[in-house]
Amino acid sequence: MTTTRSKPRAVSKTRTVPVPQPDLTPVEMIEAAVALRPLLREKQVETEAAGRILDEVNAACDAAGFYRALQPRRFGGYEFDLPTFAKVMIEVARGCPSTGWVVAFTAGHTHIFAKYPIATQAEAYGTTGEFRAPMVSGREASARRVDGGYVVDGRWDYASGIDVSTHFFAQAPVKVEGEEEAKGQAIALLDRDQYEIEHNWAMLGMQGSGSNRVLVSNVFVPEARVVERNLLAPSTAGAQERMFESPMYAGPSGNILMCEIAAVAIGTGYAALDCYEEILQRRTVPRSPKIRAEDREFQVYFGEAMGLLDLAKSALVGCSQQFMDACRDDVAGKAPFTNEIGQRIVQVEQQCCKLAGDAMNIMFRTSGSSEAKPGRAMQRYFRDMSTLLTHVSLTHDRTFETISKMHFGLDKPPVEAPATLGK
C-alpha cells in the first residue's frame, strides 16, 4: 500500500485575503442573483445535458460573490448573515435548481471550515480566497490515524459540485491500528490534486448538479487538516468558533446545511411557480375558450401554491434569524446554543422543504399532461423537486422524535439506581 503526500506550503497565521468587492451589500448580492436569472434559465437544458454546472455559469456565480456569502471576511469573503445566504440561494435556484444546488452546497461549507485551525484556513484560502468544497460522508471510507495525521482512503458518493471544486471535505470513520471498531468520525480537508472524480451521477432530477463520486487512494492528510469533533452540532469548544467578528461561526453547522437544501427547495418551487404562471396565461380551460388564469379553479391552485412558497420562504428567513440570534446570545454569554434550539430550527428548515414540495405537487398536477413531456420546464422542475426531497437529511419523523426527547430530558443516558434501592 502506498501513501501520497501533498507538499506543505508556508503559512502565515496573520494572513488576510482582500475582498473582491469590499463595498458589496447583502441587498446587492440578492439583486445580483435575481439579475442572473435569465442566463441561468437559458442554460438549464444545457446544464442538465452536461451533468454539471457549466463553466460559464460557474464563472458568473463566482464573479457575483455567491460562493463567498458566508466566507469569513478575513479570508476574502463577505461574512453575510444566514438570512442573506438563504435569500441569495433561493434566487439562484429560482434561475436553475441544479445550479442552486451546487452553489448552496459549496458556499455553505465555509461555515464548517471556519471551525478549523486558523493556519489551516489561511493555507487553503491562499492569496485569492477561492474555495469550493463539497462534503460527503463515505460509507466505504476510512481515516486511519498515523504519526502526524491520517491516511484517508475510500469513495464518497453524491459530492454535489465536485466538478468545480477547489477542495473536498472527506467525512470518514476513524480507524486505529490494531482495533476493528471505528473510533468516531473525522472530516479531512483534501486539495484538488488529492482526489479523483468518477462521473456516476445519473438521477431522475437535479441532473446538472454533478453530484458525482469522489475517489481517494491512501492520501496522507496532516493532523491540522482533520477535525474529529462533530461540527454539525452545538459545541462547547469555546474560542475556536470566535476567531471572526460575526458570532455566526459559533453556531452548529448542521443548521447551515439544512438551510442550503431548504433554500434550493423553495427556489425550485418559485421556478415552477413562474413556469405555472406562464402556463395559466397560455392555456385554456378544458373544453372552454377561457384562459386558465381567468378561471376561478386555477386561480385557487395558483394562489395556494404561491401561499405555500411564501410561507416556506418567510419561515426559512425567520428561523435563519433565530439562528443568528442564538449565536449572538451564546457568544455574549446570555444563553447557550443548545441541541434543542438547533433541532427546532432544523425542524422548521425541513418543513420548508415539505411546503415547497406540496406547492410543486399542486402545480404539476394541474398544469396538464402535455407539460409532463420530456423537455418541458415544468417536468424538469418536478423531477428536480422529487429528487431533492429524497435527501437523507429530510427525516421529519426522526427530528420530531429527537426534539421531544430533548425537551423532556429523555435523550440522556439513564442513571443507574443505587445498589440499595428496592432491598
Side-chain angles (χ1 to χ4, degrees):
M1 180 176 66
T2 59
T3 299
T4 60
R5 295 174 181 253
S6 60
K7 296 181 180 179
R9 289 175 284 182
V11 178
S12 170
K13 292 185 178 181
T14 60
R15 177 191 295 164
T16 59
V17 179
V19 180
Q21 303 177 63
D23 299 324
L24 185 70
T25 67
V27 171
E28 289 172 337
M29 182 175 282
I30 296 167
E31 290 174 345
V34 174
L36 198 60
R37 191 180 303 163
L39 173 66
L40 297 180
R41 291 199 172 162
E42 176 190 342
K43 299 296 183 179
Q44 275 186 14
V45 174
E46 190 177 346
T47 297
E48 188 169 73
R52 52 161 290 181
I53 183 173
L54 303 175
D55 290 338
E56 175 186 357
V57 171
N58 183 63
C61 292
D62 191 17
F66 300 154
Y67 291 112
R68 300 173 186 247
L70 295 185
Q71 188 167 313
R73 198 167 183 88
R74 174 174 181 174
F75 295 121
Y78 295 102
E79 205 165 305
F80 291 152
D81 60 14
L82 192 57
T84 297
F85 175 83
K87 293 175 184 178
V88 169
M89 298 309 153
I90 287 172
E91 295 302 336
V92 175
R94 188 170 186 169
C96 174
S98 286
T99 299
W101 188 272
V102 170
V103 176
F105 273 61
T106 47
H109 294 171
T110 54
H111 187 274
I112 291 173
F113 196 35
K115 299 179 180 182
Y116 276 66
I118 197 73
T120 300
Q121 295 180 56
E123 178 188 36
Y125 282 123
T127 59
T128 66
E130 187 175 7
F131 185 85
R132 294 182 294 276
M135 184 181 76
V136 184
S137 177
R139 292 184 178 181
E140 300 180 28
S142 65
R144 181 167 50 86
R145 287 182 191 159
V146 295
D147 185 30
Y150 300 73
V151 172
V152 178
D153 183 75
R155 62 181 187 177
W156 290 258
D157 283 323
Y158 312 129
S160 301
I162 195 65
D163 288 294
V164 295
S165 64
T166 62
H167 298 79
F168 175 61
F169 285 115
Q171 188 172 2
V174 176
K175 298 295 180 67
V176 179
E177 198 72 35
E179 299 185 24
E180 293 186 5
E181 292 188 7
K183 299 293 183 181
Q185 289 277 324
I187 304 177
L189 178 70
L190 280 74
D191 290 328
R192 180 60 191 88
D193 61 357
Q194 293 180 302
Y195 56 89
E196 297 180 359
I197 302 171
E198 180 181 336
H199 291 85
N200 68 333
W201 179 249
M203 301 291 283
L204 174 70
M206 292 294 178
Q207 293 179 4
S209 69
S211 302
N212 292 300
R213 174 179 293 165
V214 174
L215 303 174
V216 179
S217 180
N218 297 312
V219 170
F220 174 79
V221 182
E223 188 173 359
R225 281 181 163 234
V226 181
V227 175
E228 284 198 30
R229 65 185 180 86
N230 185 1
L231 302 182
L232 306 187
S235 170
T236 57
Q240 183 59 41
E241 288 87 347
R242 289 144 175 80
M243 295 182 293
F244 307 107
E245 182 177 345
S246 174
M248 168 179 63
Y249 303 109
S253 293
N255 291 121
I256 309 298
L257 304 188
M258 285 305 308
C259 181
E260 294 169 3
I261 189 169
V264 177
I266 295 167
T268 302
Y270 275 121
L273 186 70
D274 294 338
C275 179
Y276 191 56
E277 180 176 354
E278 184 275 328
I279 291 171
L280 297 191
Q281 292 175 330
R282 168 172 51 85
R283 300 192 60 176
T284 58
V285 176
R287 296 176 295 279
S288 171
K290 182 188 292 187
I291 296 297
R292 293 188 178 194
E294 300 173 352
D295 183 78
R296 181 187 181 279
E297 178 184 358
F298 289 95
Q299 291 168 353
V300 170
Y301 295 147
F302 182 85
E304 183 178 3
M306 181 167 59
L308 289 170
L309 291 169
D310 288 348
L311 174 59
K313 181 178 180 179
S314 296
L316 182 60
V317 172
C319 75
S320 296
Q321 185 57 54
Q322 182 184 355
F323 174 87
M324 295 299 299
D325 293 342
C327 290
R328 192 172 295 109
D329 288 345
D330 186 36
V331 170
K334 293 182 179 180
F337 197 130
T338 64
N339 276 312
E340 183 175 340
I341 290 174
Q343 285 301 301
R344 289 180 71 170
I345 294 174
V346 164
Q347 174 183 242
V348 176
E349 292 166 327
Q350 290 178 335
Q351 292 304 304
C352 290
C353 296
K354 183 179 184 300
L355 290 168
D358 290 345
M360 177 65 75
N361 289 336
I362 292 170
M363 293 183 285
F364 185 73
R365 177 176 59 83
T366 62
S367 288
S369 298
S370 61
E371 303 301 328
K373 292 179 179 179
R376 296 295 178 91
M378 183 59 77
Q379 191 235 45
R380 184 181 312 114
Y381 296 141
F382 180 78
R383 289 189 287 103
D384 287 342
M385 183 71 81
S386 298
T387 300
L388 181 151
L389 293 176
T390 66
H391 197 275
V392 67
S393 67
L394 298 179
T395 51
H396 306 84
D397 290 352
R398 185 177 300 171
T399 304
F400 296 152
E401 179 186 4
T402 298
I403 291 172
S404 295
K405 287 181 176 179
M406 287 178 176
H407 187 76
F408 292 111
L410 302 175
D411 60 322
K412 302 174 183 178
V415 178
E416 291 186 10
T420 57
L421 188 62
K423 288 188 180 180

